[in-house]
Amino acid sequence: MYVTNPHRRFFSELKDLQLPIHMESIGENPDQESIERPDGYPCYHWLQTVRGEGEFTFGGARYMVKPGSGVLLAPRDAHSYRPVSGIWETTYLTFGGPQSLALLSTFGLSHSAYYEWDRDCELEFFSGSLLGQIRSNRDLSGLDTSADLYRFLTLLKKHGRVNNLPSLSHTVERLAPLMSFMEAHYDDPNIGLEDMAQQVGVSARHLNTLFRQTFGMTAYAYFILLRLRKAKELMTLYPRMTIKEVSGQVGFRDSSHFVATFRRLEGVTPEQFRNLY
């Protein structure tokens, strides 16, 4: 790692290792200057405010970046930013790698966006904490910083809010009563979408919207996966239990429906699964 004062900028010399995702730079700027990049930056670029306030322009819109907010820019996206307070203190990191686009696409983070989060959550302190860690430990393989980048992306996915939508962590917290209800009633074949919606006080349609935003599937599809997970536990714990008994224990009225659903979602029949264990 190389250090450049006064911003304590750190650069990795390990790009040739072709890690799936790697750190290009990380640092803090106690007095952020104005930047104009009409051709963008060559790799992903994250910047967040520690103190003060800045104005960030990209995609034809302007955003006021205060503490508790930041911007993730995709490679080559034109942008500019400038301080609007006396002192604008920032932390930043840049990263790339042959699998960075695929990884960020999986997280739904591949496009340039402005993020906000609740103050004092882990995301707020992650960049600064990681910077201190890198200063004190020389990562010769680059694997540690690659793993740290993955952790950063999970935190951004979990805590970041875009377009005033609730964060993933907020939605999961809101759905907690329903998740507990599902765990307690997975064996009841009479549970339907309306019963689930009542647990969180929303319409069935809105419940499915929440589940799609959070898990990428409907509430009932999630419930089916929970039932199959319970079926796997039963089949491994009680090898003498028949498939018909297992299907009844996890809320299926018909064992043939259970077998067909299990094979469609798991790629093997329940009996084939049991033979694996």
Side-chain angles (χ1 to χ4, degrees):
M1 300 291 176
Y2 301 100
V3 184
T4 305
N5 289 323
H7 304 318
R8 296 194 295 176
R9 190 173 296 166
F10 296 75
F11 298 92
S12 172
E13 65 272 73
L14 298 165
K15 297 178 185 178
D16 291 340
L17 289 180
Q18 289 298 297
L19 293 170
I21 187 169
H22 61 71
M23 187 85 72
E24 193 232 20
S25 69
I26 181 170
E28 60 183 13
N29 195 330
D31 191 6
Q32 178 66 59
E33 71 275 22
S34 296
I35 296 290
E36 293 273 351
R37 294 194 181 107
D39 297 320
Y41 196 76
C43 55
Y44 286 97
H45 177 16
W46 168 258
L47 184 143
Q48 70 183 77
T49 294
V50 176
R51 182 167 59 99
E53 186 175 358
E55 180 186 77
F56 222 112
T57 302
F58 66 93
R62 295 182 179 181
Y63 304 89
M64 304 308 295
V65 187
K66 304 176 182 180
S69 65
V71 171
L72 179 64
L73 291 163
R76 306 298 180 185
D77 277 3
H79 63 273
S80 65
Y81 48 93
R82 66 182 183 88
V84 295
S85 58
I87 294 293
W88 184 27
E89 183 179 351
T90 65
T91 60
Y92 60 88
L93 57 88
T94 60
F95 58 94
Q99 297 301 317
S100 56
L101 175 58
L103 183 58
L104 270 74
S105 296
T106 300
F107 280 112
L109 304 173
S110 58
H111 300 290
S112 297
Y114 167 76
Y115 292 88
E116 296 178 293
W117 54 84
D118 292 340
R119 300 301 305 275
D120 298 328
C121 75
E122 188 178 353
L123 176 62
E124 177 150 354
F125 308 106
F126 186 80
S127 296
S129 176
L130 178 58
L131 178 59
Q133 175 184 322
I134 290 176
R135 293 181 68 199
S136 59
N137 295 287
R138 185 173 177 84
D139 179 16
L140 296 179
S141 68
L143 293 173
D144 290 341
T145 51
S146 183
D148 289 330
L149 276 172
Y150 187 87
R151 176 63 177 162
F152 164 73
L153 295 176
T154 62
L155 291 175
L156 186 58
K157 177 66 175 179
K158 180 179 179 180
H159 296 291
R161 299 192 303 271
V162 180
N163 298 327
N164 295 316
L165 293 173
S167 67
L168 179 62
S169 61
H170 282 174
T171 305
V172 170
E173 183 177 345
R174 184 179 183 185
L175 293 174
L178 174 55
M179 312 304 272
S180 297
F181 175 82
M182 288 179 172
E183 285 282 345
H185 296 86
Y186 66 87
D187 59 342
D188 186 348
N190 297 311
I191 298 298
L193 188 58
E194 293 293 340
D195 301 299
M196 299 181 201
Q198 289 177 8
Q199 302 304 310
V200 287
V202 299
S203 68
R205 182 176 180 179
H206 186 55
L207 180 65
N208 275 335
T209 297
L210 292 175
F211 263 80
R212 285 193 179 97
Q213 290 174 348
T214 307
F215 303 109
M217 65 184 72
T218 66
Y220 200 77
Y222 182 95
F223 196 33
I224 292 297
L225 290 180
L226 171 63
R227 284 172 165 166
L228 295 188
R229 175 167 61 84
K230 296 296 184 179
K232 291 177 184 178
E233 293 173 0
L234 287 174
M235 286 188 287
T236 53
L237 287 172
Y238 305 104
R240 295 182 180 274
M241 184 178 287
T242 67
I243 298 302
K244 183 176 181 179
E245 289 172 331
V246 171
S247 67
Q249 288 286 325
V250 297
F252 284 83
R253 289 191 176 92
D254 185 280
S255 60
S256 61
H257 181 217
F258 167 67
V259 172
T261 302
F262 196 100
R263 180 167 49 196
R264 175 172 57 86
L265 295 176
E266 300 295 333
V268 294
T269 66
E271 198 62 55
Q272 289 170 331
F273 171 84
R274 177 152 39 195
N275 290 337
L276 293 173
Y277 292 87

